[in-house]
Amino acid sequence: MSQPAEKTRQKATGARGNGVVAGICVAFFVGMIGMAYAAVPLYQMFCQATGYGGTTRRTTQYADRVLDRDITIRFDANTSGVPWDFAPVARSMTIKIGETAQAHYTATNKFDRPSAGRATFNVVPEMAGAYFNKVECFCFTDTTLQAGQTMDMPVVFYVDPDIVNAPELKDIKTITLSYTMFPIEANKPVAAAPVEDKSTTIPNTAETLGG
């Protein structure tokens, strides 16, 4: 093969190789972006399924047994940016492990127009999150309150009897269920615009005072 023909073949081979490498890089980049967008919902699903990080488990099944052992559930509530009064009706209740119970929170919109909120939740101690099961909860959906409206927010739950088989939790006496209410950004109240100061300041000089 002549030298010009050989050089032409080498260039063509190199171009194909560069194209393959570029294609792999683009595919990798697109895949990384997709994984980044999927990471948050997948992490939330993982937490709700396992109780990781103190996230309570969402369930549609009730405990298959009730133990003759009491446990106290404490309730906590706070807000972050939403103009609501949000609090538990009762600060605590004592139930049997495995017993299905219902607690209530209330929320009042103190703003002069409708606003929407979304609740996040966890339990303390964190390891108990895997055994704290919610059957029904206001935190499963977003909530919109009209100006001045007060809403009852129930949560139905039970503590899985298997909690007594966990070495770190076998002697547990108290679990705290905590909610934080955040505004939904699309309905977040807008701060009032500052009032324009139209007053006129007269300089304190001898000329203006007539001196």
Side-chain angles (χ1 to χ4, degrees), residues 154-178:
V155 52
V156 179
F157 65 92
Y158 68 89
V159 178
D160 192 326
D162 287 341
I163 195 171
V164 300
N165 299 324
E168 303 86 349
L169 300 170
K170 63 180 181 179
D171 297 321
I172 190 170
K173 303 294 183 183
T174 303
I175 294 176
T176 299
L177 174 63
S178 179

Side-chain angles (χ1 to χ4, degrees), residues 4-156:
E6 177 64 19
K7 290 183 179 180
T8 299
R9 186 187 66 81
Q10 290 178 353
K11 288 181 180 180
T13 302
R16 286 197 298 272
N18 291 338
V20 171
V21 172
I24 293 174
C25 290
V26 170
F28 178 77
F29 179 72
V30 172
M32 290 298 292
I33 293 177
M35 290 177 63
Y37 277 103
V40 173
L42 287 175
Y43 179 76
Q44 291 175 340
M45 291 172 61
F46 170 76
C47 288
Q48 290 186 350
T50 64
Y52 181 78
T55 300
T56 66
R57 297 180 66 182
R58 178 175 179 175
T59 182
T60 56
Q61 298 180 351
Y62 298 82
D64 58 358
R65 65 193 186 281
V66 177
L67 306 183
D68 186 21
R69 175 174 163 182
D70 292 342
I71 189 166
T72 298
I73 310 299
R74 293 177 178 168
F75 304 102
D76 180 54
N78 54 80
T79 61
S80 179
V82 64
W84 294 3
D85 284 341
F86 175 55
V89 173
R91 288 293 176 181
S92 66
M93 67 169 58
T94 299
I95 61 174
K96 298 293 184 181
I97 293 179
E99 176 187 0
T100 300
Q102 180 170 281
H104 293 265
Y105 286 70
T106 60
T108 301
N109 180 13
K110 307 297 289 185
F111 204 53
D112 60 1
R113 60 177 176 267
S115 61
R118 177 182 300 140
T120 62
F121 53 87
N122 68 344
V123 300
V124 177
E126 288 189 355
M127 293 185 65
Y131 303 93
F132 196 101
N133 297 274
K134 290 184 298 175
V135 181
E136 298 177 13
C137 181
F138 58 87
C139 58
F140 294 162
T141 58
D142 297 338
T143 301
T144 299
L145 297 179
Q146 301 301 312
Q149 180 185 0
T150 297
M151 179 179 290
D152 176 58
M153 295 181 160
V155 52
V156 179

